[in-house]
Amino acid sequence: MSNFWETRIEYLKGVGTQKADLLNKELKIIDYKSLIQYFPFRHEDRTKIYTINELTPDMPYVQLRGKVMQMEVIGEDAKKRLVGNFVDNEGNTMQLLWFQGVSWIMKTLKVETEYLVFGVPQFYNGRYSIVHPELELFTSAEEQTGFLQPIYNLTEKLKKRFITNKVLATFVRNLINIAYNHIEENLPNWIIQKYRFASRQNAIYQIHFPQSPEWLNHAKRRLKFEELFFIQLRLLKQNKVQKIQNAGLICEKLDLLTEFYAKYLPFELTNAQKRVCKEVHQDMTSGRQMNRLIQGDVGSGKTMVAFICMLMVVSNGSQACMVAPTEILAEQHYEGLKVFADKLGVTIDLLTGSTRQRDRRVMNERLMNGNLKILIGTHALFEDKVQFENLGLCVIDEQHRFGVQQRAKLWQKNPVLAPHILVMTATPIPRTLAMTLYGDLDVSVIDELPAGRKPIITAHRYESARLRVFEFMREELKKGRQIYIVYPLIEESEKLSYKNIMDGYESISRAFPEYFISMVHGQLSSVDKDFEMQRFKNMETQIMVATTVIEVGVNVPNASVMVIENAEKFGLSQLHQLRGRVGRGAEQSYCVLMTESKLSADARVRLETMERTNNGFEIADVDLSLRGAGDIAGTQQSGVIDLVIADLAKDAIILQEARKTADEILEKDTYLESEENLPIKNYITTYQKQASFWSRIS
Ligand code: ADP
Ligand code: MG
């Protein structure tokens, strides 16, 4: 059966080798399976034929009927284009334009002959035109084709070689004609009943050629569910199997933790911190390996939670390590935690790229013989040379900076008993995305900031207000506060970025001659970066001019103003991360978003969102709806799937249902052995290839 779907499309009626080749190259459509899964991204109602008179500037696409009276090539080189003068039945005219395939159009298009013209009308200089319209000879038979016509994503190259929507739709139709009986149901009957889903056969047919808008929705709902369901099933299964198969260190003794709570804990934990510590403790006493993600907004106090978890492990004679994405961060963690570790008599050390060879050797020895209990570090920690006597816990800070393979590397640092894994992220990932991305991890959320934090006041200012912003900065500096000024990285050019920040530095130096200024950017060595960061931290400098290198984690509580230059160039989550650098002390903090006066609609939404809220999860949701899941930080590294039909920004409810259902099924039947779940199991085994593609996600 499976062979049928692997039939190459060149064997499909009407396709042939040349077109097959093109479809391979342009759309990655290779076999029957990939063709049938090439769903249209929308449908057009081609029952309606407009007249030019009826057009309005906001129409997404229209269908017109009329004749091209004459054609003319105008312009030269890049501006060369073919202009067709199009007249409809009422005698109104508009232009049809081609920039490519000019000679072919000239050859094939018949003037003074009636056509149906499809396309996106553009309104320019008081006139309408359509660029690269689709044309079809008008026959009265066409008038009758009702229905919603599928519109596929096609490349210009395909269109130029005559593979239009119509042609692709014909291929799909030919395929469905012979494939219908090969489409097997992959959901158990009770799910179909419960959600009143369309059958798989019907859904696939209707997604391409819907009988009505209602049928289209019906089909979409089922196919979205199906897509998300199989992803969740896979991830949850992995999580469950991991739990069954991988034993974990049992941490029942809590001596060090008790001592720490009684004597040294510098503040009362927030309820959210307490809850998360409890969740971790449950994992660590379950006898199973923990794989947990902690999501907590910037400043929610994840470091302390991590330390507490490390103490749980060390209390039981094991070792713990913590990996941070940058040296500055690793050092900061190390210095912060060493104070407590020393008091408790727990050995702790720091390993980074700049640790000297000699020190490393000693450190490795102490790790191997168990004398060193806690190791904080950067990537250097992943190296194979770094081995432990008995590693019980790995904490990974700012998870989105690390790849999945690296997580796996840490597992291997204890060949006897896989260490517990705690992943922490401050990139607020919308829940829906977290479920898909980290479905194999259990998730804890620190959704509360320590008491007494004043929300950061955020304001958007145009360049024209520059002097007043400087005045405001001066007032804050006079109060003894420190200020960050951040410049964007200009992607196309490191040189431009550099010039940008240098110009900024100069104008700041001129405006604030009485203050000391630090500067940190990508072209500095990490030693120099650290040096400047340290000076700022020690209050030797009052202003920090920087690129986004300061984005993650650094903690300077006295810095209370964050000025972001060219704020329109930053993504939302990045703006939020940067803003999180202030608001860490007792003082009222401010964030000023500087922009030019010309802004795109998206940029406006980003700036308004920043002004409106400090809540990372709310911001993440807006971010997701603006950018789509593929662009959200972290998804690249994690190799998150390109979803075929579901949309994580919009289909949260379906995702939740899919996850719940998958969980219910696995709870009863982890290995999918029951009769009832046979359709699922068959589907998964038939599509083993898909399964290996899934395994990239986790
Ligand atoms: P993040 O979650 O962004 O990593 P940190 O762990 O750096 O946050 O904590 C931010 C600041 O809040 C630190 O200075 C830390 O000491 C402080 N902090 C953490 N938990 C609490 C708490 N429960 N009460 C008061 N301050 C806290
Ligand atoms: Mg942190």
Side-chain angles (χ1 to χ4, degrees):
M1 269 313 229
S2 69
N3 283 341
F4 173 81
W5 290 111
E6 282 161 19
T7 313
R8 302 182 61 87
I9 45 161
E10 61 203 75
Y11 301 113
L12 183 66
K13 186 173 148 204
V15 180
T17 39
Q18 267 182 352
K19 290 191 179 117
D21 238 28
L22 265 175
L23 289 168
N24 283 188
K25 284 206 191 88
E26 298 291 302
L27 305 178
K28 298 202 177 73
I29 296 177
I30 300 159
D31 51 15
Y32 285 1
K33 186 168 113 233
S34 44
L35 178 59
I36 209 151
Q37 281 186 357
Y38 200 75
F39 298 147
F41 69 99
R42 64 183 167 82
H43 291 79
E44 286 178 0
D45 180 359
R46 290 192 175 172
T47 47
K48 169 89 184 145
I49 298 176
Y50 289 87
T51 61
I52 294 173
N53 232 348
E54 291 172 311
L55 299 187
T56 58
D58 55 353
M59 287 179 166
Y61 58 84
V62 291
Q63 174 172 247
L64 300 155
R65 175 181 165 183
K67 299 173 183 172
V68 176
M69 299 311 283
Q70 55 307 93
M71 288 186 282
E72 190 186 1
V73 178
I74 55 175
E76 270 176 31
D77 298 330
K79 286 195 175 151
K80 185 171 150 187
R81 60 196 183 274
L82 175 65
V83 180
N85 191 17
F86 177 80
V87 184
D88 71 4
N89 290 344
E90 293 179 348
N92 291 311
T93 64
M94 71 188 291
Q95 289 188 337
L96 306 180
L97 294 165
W98 289 268
F99 295 91
Q100 285 168 339
V102 169
S103 50
W104 179 69
I105 298 286
M106 298 262 283
K107 233 181 356 210
T108 51
L109 199 136
K110 299 185 183 121
V111 289
E112 295 183 36
T113 308
E114 210 161 38
Y115 277 94
L116 274 177
V117 175
F118 311 101
V120 184
Q122 295 186 342
F123 189 63
Y124 189 72
N125 272 348
R127 287 197 59 172
Y128 284 96
S129 60
I130 297 181
V131 177
H132 288 183
E134 265 184 59
L135 288 161
E136 223 174 88
L137 273 178
F138 182 84
T139 60
S140 46
E142 289 294 344
E143 225 169 355
Q144 261 108 61
T145 51
F147 310 156
L148 295 163
Q149 304 228 357
I151 305 298
Y152 299 93
N153 255 321
L154 297 175
T155 62
E156 282 304 320
K157 195 159 177 188
L158 284 172
K159 286 184 200 164
K160 250 171 37 190
R161 307 279 187 89
F162 322 136
I163 302 186
T164 59
N165 266 305
K166 194 108 193 173
V167 171
L168 192 63
T170 310
F171 294 164
V172 175
R173 204 180 272 282
N174 291 346
L175 175 58
I176 290 187
N177 283 341
I178 55 170
Y180 200 73
N181 289 328
H182 292 269
I183 301 173
E184 286 176 83
E185 188 49 70
N186 58 10
L187 295 177
N189 204 25
W190 69 267
I191 298 182
I192 294 175
Q193 297 293 328
K194 179 174 171 191
Y195 292 102
R196 298 174 180 282
F197 282 142
S199 73
R200 188 143 188 272
Q201 281 178 327
N202 212 346
I204 287 179
Y205 182 73
Q206 299 282 347
I207 194 77
H208 289 284
F209 308 110
Q211 274 169 297
S212 66
E214 291 72 33
W215 263 110
L216 179 60
N217 284 336
H218 204 41
K220 274 189 190 161
R221 199 166 63 87
R222 141 110 212 192
L223 294 170
K224 285 176 173 186
F225 180 93
E226 179 185 311
E227 181 169 43
L228 296 168
F229 171 78
F230 279 97
I231 292 170
Q232 291 304 316
L233 194 72
R234 169 91 188 171
L235 291 167
L236 288 170
K237 186 170 168 197
Q238 201 167 315
N239 178 307
K240 285 203 165 45
V241 170
Q242 255 170 30
K243 280 190 185 147
I244 295 169
Q245 290 179 346
N246 297 317
L249 174 74
I250 297 180
C251 301
E252 254 153 12
K253 285 187 241 142
L254 294 174
D255 327 356
L256 286 166
L257 198 57
T258 319
E259 188 185 347
F260 179 61
Y261 279 160
K263 294 196 205 151
Y264 309 118
L265 188 66
F267 35 65
E268 167 121 25
L269 294 179
T270 63
N271 286 326
Q273 284 171 316
K274 284 183 199 163
R275 189 186 63 236
V276 173
C277 290
K278 215 191 229 160
E279 283 166 356
V280 169
H281 186 245
Q282 267 165 13
D283 290 350
M284 287 196 184
T285 46
S286 71
R288 302 281 132 216
Q289 185 209 20
M290 169 175 80
N291 275 285
R292 186 168 285 280
L293 172 76
I294 298 183
Q295 274 200 307
D297 212 341
V298 263
S300 60
K302 292 186 291 296
T303 320
M304 188 47 79
V305 171
F307 186 62
I308 288 169
C309 300
M310 291 196 259
L311 289 182
M312 292 180 197
V313 168
V314 178
S315 294
N316 291 273
S318 241
Q319 294 162 295
C321 70
M322 178 166 173
V323 196
T326 64
E327 269 187 39
I328 298 179
L329 254 186
E331 268 164 37
Q332 188 178 290
H333 285 324
Y334 172 69
E335 275 153 27
L337 299 182
K338 186 171 166 38
V339 179
F340 301 117
D342 284 352
K343 287 181 180 160
L344 292 163
V346 173
T347 47
I348 184 169
D349 213 335
L350 174 70
L351 174 65
T352 69
S354 20
T355 307
R356 278 177 312 182
Q357 212 53 41
R358 194 163 11 114
D359 297 338
R360 281 189 192 213
R361 226 170 294 135
V362 179
M363 205 182 291
N364 282 341
E365 232 160 76
R366 295 177 66 218
L367 285 173
M368 293 279 272
N369 64 26
N371 281 338
L372 183 53
K373 292 300 180 193
I374 297 180
L375 182 63
I376 313 283
T378 56
H379 290 78
L381 216 147
F382 292 119
E383 284 169 29
D384 291 332
K385 266 180 285 179
V386 183
Q387 291 295 336
F388 297 77
E389 184 203 30
N390 178 11
L391 182 63
L393 168 69
C394 304
V395 182
I396 305 176
D397 194 19
E398 307 296 351
Q399 135 82 16
H400 66 285
R401 305 256 152 163
F402 294 108
V404 183
Q405 293 85 348
Q406 289 168 314
R407 224 203 290 162
K409 260 209 128 118
L410 290 173
W411 273 53
Q412 292 153 14
K413 302 245 172 220
N414 188 336
V416 182
L417 196 62
H420 296 302
I421 304 277
L422 190 63
V423 183
M424 307 200 295
T425 178
T427 313
I429 305 162
R431 274 160 215 273
T432 47
L433 190 57
M435 272 187 203
T436 317
L437 263 183
Y438 304 121
D440 60 329
L441 300 175
D442 296 307
V443 178
S444 294
V445 181
I446 309 185
D447 49 4
E448 184 185 355
L449 294 181
R453 293 268 172 85
K454 295 193 183 79
I456 301 161
I457 297 172
T458 302
H460 167 208
R461 293 284 178 269
Y462 292 109
E463 202 46 51
S464 53
R466 169 76 58 192
L467 287 179
R468 267 179 297 153
V469 172
F470 276 3
E471 243 169 73
F472 168 74
M473 287 161 62
R474 183 163 287 110
E475 276 164 32
E476 291 298 302
L477 286 164
K478 272 189 197 148
K479 290 187 210 157
R481 313 274 183 275
Q482 287 162 287
I483 296 181
Y484 291 104
I485 305 173
V486 177
Y487 290 83
L489 282 175
I490 298 168
E491 270 175 26
E492 313 86 65
S493 153
E494 213 168 299
K495 252 194 199 144
L496 264 179
S497 305
Y498 187 65
K499 181 176 181 312
N500 205 13
I501 187 172
M502 281 306 175
D503 289 352
Y505 178 79
E506 261 166 43
S507 86
I508 299 293
S509 316
R510 254 181 279 121
F512 300 96
E514 67 274 42
Y515 292 102
F516 294 103
I517 305 173
S518 279
M519 180 162 61
V520 170
H521 54 76
Q523 300 198 336
L524 293 182
S525 71
S526 57
V527 176
D528 292 342
K529 268 186 225 161
D530 281 7
F531 179 76
E532 282 302 319
M533 271 319 296
Q534 278 308 333
R535 292 211 311 148
F536 186 63
K537 237 178 146 167
N538 301 339
M539 292 176 69
E540 289 163 37
T541 57
Q542 291 77 43
I543 301 174
M544 166 62 77
V545 174
T547 54
T548 49
V549 290
I550 58 147
E551 183 188 343
V552 209
V554 282
N555 198 13
V556 182
N558 189 53
S560 66
V561 180
M562 166 66 63
V563 179
I564 303 177
E565 298 288 342
N566 298 113
E568 75 277 5
K569 292 211 165 80
F570 291 87
L572 249 183
S573 76
Q574 211 177 12
L575 288 173
H576 180 64
Q577 288 291 314
L578 286 168
R579 179 169 62 181
R581 297 306 104 218
V582 298
R584 307 190 142 237
E587 309 305 333
Q588 175 62 56
S589 290
Y590 303 90
C591 175
V592 184
L593 305 169
M594 300 295 299
T595 73
E596 299 168 358
S597 51
K598 259 198 180 158
L599 292 173
S600 70
D602 274 13
R604 261 173 220 290
V605 174
R606 292 197 295 269
L607 297 163
E608 280 160 19
T609 307
M610 288 293 292
E611 287 186 305
R612 189 186 71 236
T613 178
N614 275 294
N615 182 323
F617 286 100
E618 201 177 325
I619 288 172
D621 278 334
V622 178
D623 201 25
L624 181 61
S625 66
L626 283 181
R627 296 199 298 168
D631 285 335
I632 301 285
T635 55
Q636 252 80 28
Q637 290 95 320
S638 320
V640 77
I641 7 73
D642 283 326
L643 294 170
V644 174
I645 183 164
D647 176 343
L648 293 173
K650 294 184 190 134
D651 299 323
I653 293 175
I654 298 181
L655 174 58
Q656 268 154 27
E657 289 299 327
R659 185 177 173 86
K660 206 177 78 190
T661 309
D663 198 38
E664 256 171 58
I665 289 175
L666 292 172
E667 207 47 50
K668 280 189 264 170
D669 185 13
T670 306
Y671 293 99
L672 301 171
E673 286 159 340
S674 75
E675 183 71 31
E676 177 179 78
N677 293 326
L678 206 60
I680 301 176
K681 188 169 186 166
N682 283 344
Y683 182 73
I684 293 175
T685 34
T686 314
Y687 297 101
Q688 273 305 321
K689 280 195 194 121
Q690 217 159 340
S692 69
F693 140 92
W694 273 337
S695 64
R696 275 190 309 161
I697 310 166
S698 46

